Amino acid sequence: MTMLRQATKVGLPFMNLVRFKGLPILEQLHLEEKLLRTSSDNWCIVNDGTNAPAIVMGISGKPSELIEIGPVLRDHVPVIKRFSGGGTVIVDSGTIFVTLICNKDVVPGVQPYPRSIMSWSGLLYSEVFQGIDGFQLRENDYVFGDHKFGGNAQSIIKSRWIHHTSFLWDYDSRNMAYLKLPARAPKYRSARNHAEFVCRMKEYMPRSIFIERTMKALESHFSVKPVNLDAVVGSHSSGYVHSTRLLSKHELKDAVTTLLESRALSG
């Protein structure tokens, strides 16, 4: 069996695998951005939960349109603007993160365009959720039926791309109140609030089984090599300035002021 598995891996592209448990999401995003822009290898990062709740926005997101700034400031919830596109999420210890960073020609048939990458990732995760009714890729979300449990974001540069996903294995319903209903939302959402729109992956699959199946699915496409954190940080830390950052309280307060001024002018 071992010889057969080794034989089937001949010719598969290499992928480094880094696994964490509870890594702060800001540190994870900084690492991902470094690896995307400074490495020439393929990477998978799996982070089983983050250490504390945080809101993560896409690169073009506007706080005044996407989050309830008053409660966020009152409760000292960190707000992060990441380097990739996509929507706004709140993450915590119940979120499982899976990130794929690849050279543009590494996966046969996948072009460095959002739709092509998304379609391939949907096939990859269909292997993970095989046997579970209702799983599908729907308008760039992973869903069971019409309930979202996985949100995706991407960034594509000249020769490489990143596709990262936050899976809602579990969540605190109270945290969803920090997020506004976005003006741009998938049609299948049908203006549902967060509580009606999302679901918990734990109702469909144990946490450890999900990670195990994800690793197995990756091994169908790559020759996966585990790598420790020290090796990753040590070889990709010099002279890089990341764009992912924590928004300051001053920026959030300014967003409220701008919103109020805009309403006053339009009123």
Side-chain angles (χ1 to χ4, degrees):
M1 179 64 72
T2 302
M3 290 182 65
L4 177 61
R5 288 191 66 183
Q6 289 176 343
T8 59
K9 289 188 176 184
V10 172
L12 290 179
F14 287 100
M15 173 170 275
N16 295 314
L17 169 66
V18 189
R19 293 183 62 171
F20 301 103
K21 187 172 180 62
L23 182 72
I25 186 59
L26 183 60
E27 290 185 33
Q28 177 186 332
L29 289 165
H30 284 171
L31 176 61
E32 290 176 1
E33 190 175 1
K34 284 180 187 176
L35 293 176
L36 174 67
R37 302 187 188 281
T38 68
S39 172
S40 58
D41 295 332
N42 304 305
W43 297 86
C44 174
I45 298 172
V46 178
N47 184 18
D48 188 2
T50 188
N51 65 333
I55 293 170
V56 184
M57 303 172 55
I59 192 168
S60 60
K62 296 181 179 179
S64 60
E65 297 175 359
L66 297 168
I67 63 176
E68 299 289 355
I69 298 178
V72 165
L73 286 169
R74 178 195 68 209
D75 298 338
H76 307 288
V77 181
V79 180
I80 298 165
K81 182 165 282 194
R82 64 176 180 265
F83 65 96
S84 59
T88 301
V89 294
I90 183 160
V91 299
D92 57 21
S93 60
T95 312
I96 304 173
F97 307 91
V98 181
T99 297
L100 301 170
I101 304 172
C102 294
N103 292 314
K104 67 176 184 179
D105 57 354
V106 73
V107 183
V110 175
Q111 301 298 314
Y113 300 104
R115 184 170 295 180
S116 180
I117 297 167
M118 198 75 238
S119 296
W120 173 77
S121 75
L123 294 174
L124 179 75
Y125 285 109
S126 68
E127 298 177 33
V128 176
F129 296 105
Q130 186 174 7
I132 299 180
D133 290 338
F135 170 77
Q136 61 178 312
L137 169 64
R138 192 166 182 180
E139 296 183 64
N140 298 330
D141 295 334
Y142 299 134
V143 303
F144 293 127
D146 61 356
H147 290 89
K148 175 180 177 177
F149 69 93
N152 302 284
Q154 298 175 351
S155 180
I156 301 169
I157 60 175
K158 183 177 180 181
S159 60
R160 290 163 66 75
W161 52 261
I162 183 171
H163 175 83
H164 44 194
T165 306
S166 54
F167 290 97
L168 295 175
W169 189 81
D170 196 7
Y171 60 86
D172 186 335
S173 299
R174 294 170 297 181
N175 289 341
M176 295 297 172
Y178 295 122
L179 305 180
K180 290 183 176 180
L181 183 67
R184 295 179 60 186
K187 290 181 180 179
Y188 81 94
R189 181 166 184 161
S190 302
R192 288 177 290 169
N193 63 34
H194 294 288
E196 296 172 327
F197 178 51
V198 299
C199 66
R200 293 174 171 85
M201 198 169 71
K202 71 176 185 179
E203 297 173 3
Y204 297 85
M205 179 178 288
R207 194 167 188 148
S208 60
I209 297 299
F210 166 70
I211 295 175
E212 179 183 315
R213 285 194 180 186
T214 300
M215 297 299 97
K216 185 176 180 181
L218 280 174
E219 289 174 353
S220 300
H221 301 267
F222 299 92
S223 180
V224 179
K225 175 188 174 185
V227 178
N228 65 52
L229 173 61
D230 292 337
V232 177
V233 175
S235 59
H236 298 280
S237 58
S238 59
Y240 180 75
V241 179
H242 45 72
S243 60
T244 298
R245 63 188 183 87
L246 185 68
L247 297 186
S248 67
K249 290 181 180 180
H250 181 71
E251 286 177 287
L252 295 175
K253 290 177 180 177
D254 279 352
V256 173
T257 301
T258 301
L259 178 63
L260 293 175
E261 289 174 349
S262 175
R263 287 177 177 174
L265 290 172
S266 62

